[in-house]
Amino acid sequence: MKLRHILYTAIVLLYCTSCNKWIDVKPTDRLSEDILFEKKEGFLKALNGVYVEMASTSLYGRFMTAGELDAMAQYYFITSSTNSYYDYVMFNYTNANPKFGFDDAWRKAYELNANVNVILEKTGASPSSVLPEPYFGLIRGEALALRAMLNFDMLRIFGPIWNDANKALKTIPYPIAAKSEIFPLLSSEEVMVQIERDLKEALTLLQNSDPILTEGVRNGNNPTGSSDLYYRQYRFNYFAVKALMARAALWKGDKTNALKYAKDIIEDAKIQGKDIFPAVTAGDATSTAKPDRMFSTEVIFSLYTIKRSDLYNAIFAAEQADFNRLSVNAMNDDKARINAMYPNQADYRYRIWESVNAQNKQILTNQKFKDVVDGPGRYMIPLIRLGEIYLIAAEASNDLGEATGLLNTLRRRRNTTDISPSDFSTLKTAITEEFRRELFGEGQLFFYYKRNAFLNIPNNASLVGEKSISLNNYRVPLPESEIKIRGGSQP
Amino acid sequence: MNKNYVLRVMRITVPLLWTGMLSVSAASYSQQITLKGKRIPFTKVIAAIRQQSGYTVFSTKNISELVPYLTVDAKQMDLSDFLKSITTEQPITYQIEDKIISFTKRRSSEVKATAENIAKDVQQKTVTGTVVNLLSGELMTGVTVRLKGYNISVMTDKNGQFSLSIPGDIQQAVLQFSFIGMKNLEVPLKGNTRINVTLEEQSESIKDVVVTGIYQRKKESFTGSSTTYTNKELKMIGNQNVLQSLKTLDPSFAMIDNNQFGSDPNRLPDLEIRGKSSVIGLTSEFGANPNQPLFILDGFESSLSVIRDFSMDRIESITILKDAAATAIYGSKAANGVIVVETKRPAAGQLRLSYNANTSLNFADLSDYNLMNSAEKLQFEKLSLFYGSLDPNGNIMNEEKELLFNNRMKEVAKGVNTYWPNEPLRTVLSQTHTLFAEGGDANLRYSASLSHGANKGIMKGSSRDVTNGNIRLLYRKGRLSFSNSLSIDHVATNREPVTFSRFVRANPYHRKYNTTGGIDKLMESFQYLDINTFTIKSLNIYNPLYDWNNTNVDKSSSLGFTNNFEIDWRIIDELRFRTRIGLRQLSDHGEVFRSPFNSEFADTEVLRQGYYSENNGKQINYDADVSLTYGKLLKEKHMVNFVGGIRVDQGYNLFSNYQVEGFVDDEFSNPTFGFRFPEGSRPGYREAKRRGASAFLNTGYTYDERYLLDATLRSDGSSVYGADKNFTTIWSVGLAWNLHKEQFIQHTLPWISLFKLRGSIGTPGNQNFNDYISMRIYRYNNDNRNPFGSSVIMNSFGNSGLKWQKTLDRNIGFDLELLHKRLRFNFDYFNKNTDPLLVFIGLPSSTGTSSVAKNIGSQTTKGLTLVTDYAFVQRENFNWHVNLNLRHITSGYHNIGNSLDKFNQDNKSRNLIRYYDNASPSDLWAVRSAGIDPATGREIFLNKNGQQTFLHDFNNEVVVGNSDPKVEGIIGTSFYYKGFSGAINLRYRLGGQEFMQTLYEKVENINIQNIALNQDKRALYDRWQKPGDIAKFRAISQTDVTPISSRFVEDNNILSGESISFGYETMDKKWLKKIGASSLTSRIYMNDIFRISTIKNERGIDYPFARSVSLSLGLRF
């Protein structure tokens, strides 16, 4: 009997906490979540990880901005089927290139979405000793906004055009849990509800914690320590959330709110009367040594990537091989297309075009993303800019005078002349043209066309003029990596 | 504590003791006393004894007072009889020790007994005595003393004394002494009323004991399914490694042929015991092969490579634990069975040496290769339209190409017919030498061994050299013993520079050497039209000999250090406490250098030619356990055993590597001559730690040696599994019935000497998984920085809810021995159900990952194994046996739904393995083929409804075969005659199909680039050429991709000469004495010497299989 007691004791001993500790092994060559989220710095690192990865080429580092999505917006003259972007321009979504490209973007977006979800799970619902204010509000607020943005952009690509008939169609999931469980496909309407909920919570959190509201963007290093609360232009700040709310409202045709949010930004983005996002100065816009082609001061939200020169080299540089290059002509110096695009060549935006000698010829090159050493916004990839907010407001306004005023404010900032559209239709055309000029290289034009369900868009196969587009082409089929496992085809 | 070493102790000490005893008794017999007289004073009697025997006699004054006078009548009486006669009826007793006789006062109880004796002299006598443990020399309590033939028994008291009344004739009475763990002893009384006996520990042969590494049981009282093989049996089959021998001996043990790497000495084999318990085909996702059994070396966990490299001559026995009752003590690591290796323990005695040499002559088995000769190859190229279209007369239309063809024809006419495959091959001698020394006394014993194996591969440049040194010490004092074993292993490997397949692929119409005798790098450059891009491309054919002769290095070395320490304390005879601590450290180093001149760099930019990589690893493993073992026979019929203990272990793994590229020369294979790290590469560094903790309890109960019950409970914790599921409980229950112990069998069927029915059920688990699959792991992003400092991103998602993979393992079986053990059967039927399976399932990418480890579905494996053996002749110096064993296994998936569909999609067009519910993991899935249309040369497929179609659609896939055989096993015979012995074991495999890789890759499916490489003869002879041809293979001119269909699946029946051996052993020959040896064993083997198969499929693609003829020699000094 005594013996049995010993054995029982031995077994009981095993369940003691020391044994549990013994087998709880943390890796030292990799970072486990338990160690990472022990400190506020870990949260900052994990959140920074999402921003850094967003700048990868499969997302906003190329695909979702200056690359494939702008190609789909027909900015370029592409007729050769060997061009890497040809199938995008022609909306051949089932061909190898777009199939792979969209799959890649989707996977990256949801990989980041999962990262964001873990951060949200770890922050909890209220500040803690590990994560006090303002960090709690900032980290949770930014994470929520990032989740909304990633899903909103996926909806804008893979979802249908918003209208009463389509908004109930099942389209994409909206995964909100950190565990790798499968979320059901939701309708556009349901997705928008989730996006708005996340954005609203983000806005509230940031209202109380975002230093942009008191200190401005502060694009410089903190002289006394870490720069966690600096460089607000490169973070999902309070105004960026509001801007995304405006974008989202207009997407679902809610002009009232779109106008309200947009005007809030235009009017409120000031500290003691000073603009937080001031207009580009004539000096910066026309400087030859360090031109601000990006109008970096006006950017509300952007990504910071030291690899931005890769973007320029990969798709715009005159040295790049023809089949990889995005060009507004047949790889020469023909300016017909841009001259049509910019009626006024004094427009600061026209300055991105330069003729460069390469491959033994003059090649017209888009230099918006060209690396300028020590130039303004050297590492910036703009995602939301004030110009778009003016255009959203103009589009959302029911008052022709107000709309024209908003449009002309933007045009003046760009060193071009006022216009006076006689009716809403002329205004719309003006806004469309302005949008095309203003958001070149930022991936928004395709969504603008899609939101407005345009049946005619610029023609890829001629330097000027338009081509018709089938509304089906605005919707990209869900990637195979999603539906193959889910089973069945797209609903 | 290990029985084997007890056995060894017995072997040495028992004879020693016996000789000692014999000499004593002989001496006493020679002493005779003659003395007669009444009332002789005791002192005078003593003086007489002293005088006549020459012995020293001690006595005290007390004695003389107790017995003042004696009446004696002895004439040439033996000393002992004389002493007995003078003490029997007196209150004194005596003792003889080393020629010293001492008289002492008899204790009161004895006096009383003596008095009673006198009283009951006529009707009944009482026998008294003591029982002593031979090894410890201590008196034994609780020993059963039984009068043979009567239901009379007593037990020894706490002083080891017993007293038993004997009815009837004391001259005829026989006493039986029994105690658990000790040898039963029968002592005829021959009229003596006082006997002192010594019991020795049971020295069953190894085969009668089941060694689990944690505890051991008598085979007869064990309910689990296990088999033990002795060194001798293992060496009867082969002398290269134990795994090879086990494969032949035990049908439940399978070694999966590696078709890719054949007999590469540096590839570890894939092993299975009783089929698979985990999802196969996903091995790359796991850290280790999830179907690999657990290896236990002298009680400590070991690895496949250590066991494979282990010198066979150091091994005492190997036990394979198969069912849950046997393996559950290893809990969550035991689902795939356990292989327990016991090494030889030192025996006491003078220093003795033994030497074993094993040599084997290996050569390649190329019988499955069926390559074209130069004329055939040229003809094939022409018909495949390699030289462009042919006119109706079969002539090449393009003039330029025709010229090329004709030039080649000229070469062929000149007799150029190069046979490439012999270039990298050799017939090679491998050797292993083992030197073993042992000795010591009853307290301290030692052994030292040194072995060196030089295994040379049949491909030139490949080798594996293994050196091992071991020192073992055993110290025993009373009830406490300590043992320590220290080993150092060194392994050095080299790999061949160019794969065998490149030589097989080389064209026979090319010459190896150019006109000056040198080797050209480029043999030929073809131009061809690429159909996909409509561009002319050139195809370069390089001489494999050129690369072969460059400086290429692929070597590795490892140094291992193992120290196992053990304390064993026999608290009381029934209870023993043991603790063990094991430490194993292994460091390895590997280098690969590829010459910049190699053809693989021909299209690489200059700065990136050549390659060097180095990797370094370190492993440190600790193991510690504490256990208590209790065993006692209660009331003669109830045998109980308990084993309980706890165990902790830790494994630490460190791995680092880097690469360098850009070499200009291959004079030195030194990284310092490289140019830079390859772009985008970074130094690798992996550190992994896994820990486990467990407690176990095993109880065994036997009633009257007839009804047996075994139960095991183990609680296991591991860091591998989810934070939420750190611990799991594993159990097993086994029952057995020894029918041969039943009266009704013993009386009615006396020709049954053993008949044991067994059954068991349990839930062993599996831990062969990646170290960190249960947690989220982040990585730093280094290449993109921003002002916010460092950034991290999730690298692996982990699954903290992961449950342990366990297998419900059920087994029934029987052991039967008939006709004086001439005919033996061992049968097992098992049913293993792994539920839930741990698999990596595909997820929709919106979850953020494409796959995650999940518990899903189940896998069942059912099967049976049978071993039979019949002795035609069974005499002392001559026996002849025939043996047969077989294995039949089927398995299937359940409830996996479409969760593994991702792998099904990936596998389509790659192989025939699919994961579907109720299908077997070894099923081969393909679209059925109705053959080749004689009119067009196109393939006709059958859809699911059996209708013919030209369209290949993966949706029409059905099961077209199964790669597992219906039955597989060994049929063999063996004999022994006066030191000569022989054994022939042939492997047979019946039923089951195989995917014909060769047909798929080298007969059909040859694209335009591959036409320039050599192919299988059937590509020329068996393919469709013109309308009307009834052919098995598609039109010869087709160069597009052929989808896999049932045409590429064929029945695979095999008979192979797995092991044939003859040996001679002798012990006491005069010539042996002359060289100072005491025994000799020698054996000659032929392994895998022939192979007959119903299919012709290339085996050993990158490294051929070997046949071997070996010799082993053992000398004991």
Side-chain angles (χ1 to χ4, degrees), chain B residues 723-838:
Chain B
D724 315 346
K725 315 265 186 229
N726 269 342
F727 277 89
T728 190
T729 304
I730 277 142
W731 57 268
S732 80
V733 176
L735 291 170
W737 183 15
N738 280 330
L739 278 153
H740 59 284
K741 296 272 182 183
E742 295 288 353
Q743 293 285 327
F744 64 88
I745 296 277
Q746 283 180 344
H747 290 157
T748 57
L749 305 163
W751 42 273
I752 294 180
S753 48
L754 171 74
F755 189 14
K756 177 157 134 187
L757 284 176
R758 296 177 273 109
S760 74
I761 184 166
T763 59
N766 196 334
Q767 273 190 25
N768 285 349
F769 298 109
N770 199 347
D771 293 338
Y772 295 131
I773 54 176
S774 64
M775 61 175 88
R776 289 193 190 108
I777 304 289
Y778 282 79
R779 65 175 164 80
Y780 287 100
N781 184 328
N782 295 26
D783 59 347
N784 197 359
R785 293 155 206 233
N786 62 23
F788 301 97
S790 55
S791 71
V792 296
I793 196 91
M794 243 195 292
N795 195 36
S796 68
F797 281 70
N799 182 353
S800 60
L802 222 48
K803 276 191 268 179
W804 294 66
Q805 180 176 305
K806 287 200 255 183
T807 302
L808 181 66
D809 188 344
R810 285 162 287 186
N811 186 79
I812 51 171
F814 64 81
D815 305 309
L816 184 60
E817 285 179 11
L818 308 172
L819 313 171
H820 302 286
K821 303 196 173 186
R822 272 181 171 228
L823 181 59
R824 296 161 188 253
F825 293 95
N826 165 271
F827 171 85
D828 276 299
Y829 170 81
F830 54 89
N831 182 331
K832 303 209 281 188
N833 184 21
T834 305
D835 187 8
L837 280 170
L838 196 157

Side-chain angles (χ1 to χ4, degrees), chain A residues 305-322:
Chain A
T305 173
I306 53 173
K307 291 177 164 183
R308 204 191 70 186
S309 55
D310 292 356
L311 173 68
Y312 172 77
N313 291 332
I315 57 180
F316 296 121
E319 292 77 12
Q320 182 57 263
D322 288 359

Side-chain angles (χ1 to χ4, degrees), chain A residues 3-4 6-7 10-11 14-15 19-23 25 27-33 36-37 45-46 48-50 52-53 55 106-107 110-112 114-115 118 121 173 175 178-182 221 227-228 230-231 234-235 304-307 481-482 484-486, chain B residues 575 628 630 642 644-646 648-650 685-687 689-695 697 715 717-719 726-727 729 772 775-781 783-794 797 800 842-849 852 854 898 902 905:
Chain A
L3 178 72
R4 249 189 255 179
I6 297 170
L7 292 173
I11 288 171
L14 201 90
Y15 284 96
C19 280
N20 269 320
K21 259 184 198 160
W22 165 256
I23 57 169
V25 176
T28 53
D29 58 339
R30 280 158 289 181
L31 212 52
S32 79
E33 56 171 315
L36 182 69
F37 293 107
K45 281 180 205 168
N48 196 22
V50 178
V52 167
E53 287 295 313
W106 173 272
R107 278 189 287 117
Y110 281 104
E111 187 192 311
L112 296 179
N115 274 273
V118 174
E121 180 194 79
K179 281 204 173 154
S180 47
E181 65 184 87
I182 304 170
N221 284 329
S227 302
D228 299 335
Y230 285 62
Y231 293 99
Y234 296 94
R235 282 291 182 264
Y304 187 103
T305 173
I306 53 173
K307 291 177 164 183
S481 67
E482 180 69 24
K484 248 189 176 173
I485 307 289
R486 234 174 230 285
Chain B
L575 182 67
L628 274 171
Y630 179 80
F642 290 102
I646 52 175
V648 288
D649 61 82
Q650 172 179 312
Y685 189 91
R686 265 196 65 124
E687 206 176 21
K689 202 187 261 182
R690 62 155 70 184
R691 280 176 173 169
S694 52
L697 177 68
S715 173
S718 168
S719 59
N726 269 342
F727 277 89
T729 304
Y772 295 131
M775 61 175 88
R776 289 193 190 108
I777 304 289
Y778 282 79
R779 65 175 164 80
Y780 287 100
N781 184 328
D783 59 347
N784 197 359
R785 293 155 206 233
N786 62 23
F788 301 97
S790 55
S791 71
V792 296
I793 196 91
M794 243 195 292
F797 281 70
S800 60
L843 285 178
S845 41
S846 62
T847 54
T849 180
V852 73
K854 276 244 161 98
N898 60 358
K902 177 170 174 274
Q905 299 298 336

Side-chain angles (χ1 to χ4, degrees), chain A residues 241-287:
Chain A
V241 175
K242 205 136 218 196
L244 190 59
M245 287 167 91
R247 241 187 215 176
L250 200 55
W251 179 259
K252 48 180 269 197
D254 179 0
K255 288 189 170 182
T256 321
N257 278 317
L259 181 65
K260 182 172 144 294
Y261 297 138
K263 277 164 96 176
D264 280 356
I265 299 168
I266 293 166
E267 282 154 22
D268 297 348
K270 292 186 172 71
I271 297 168
Q272 294 163 354
K274 234 174 112 187
D275 281 347
I276 295 175
F277 305 106
V280 66
T281 62
D284 282 345
T286 58
S287 160

Side-chain angles (χ1 to χ4, degrees), chain B residues 853-872:
Chain B
K854 276 244 161 98
N855 298 105
I856 213 151
S858 64
Q859 179 177 341
T860 53
T861 302
K862 293 178 213 174
L864 55 90
T865 58
L866 175 71
V867 182
T868 63
D869 180 291
Y870 180 71
F872 281 111

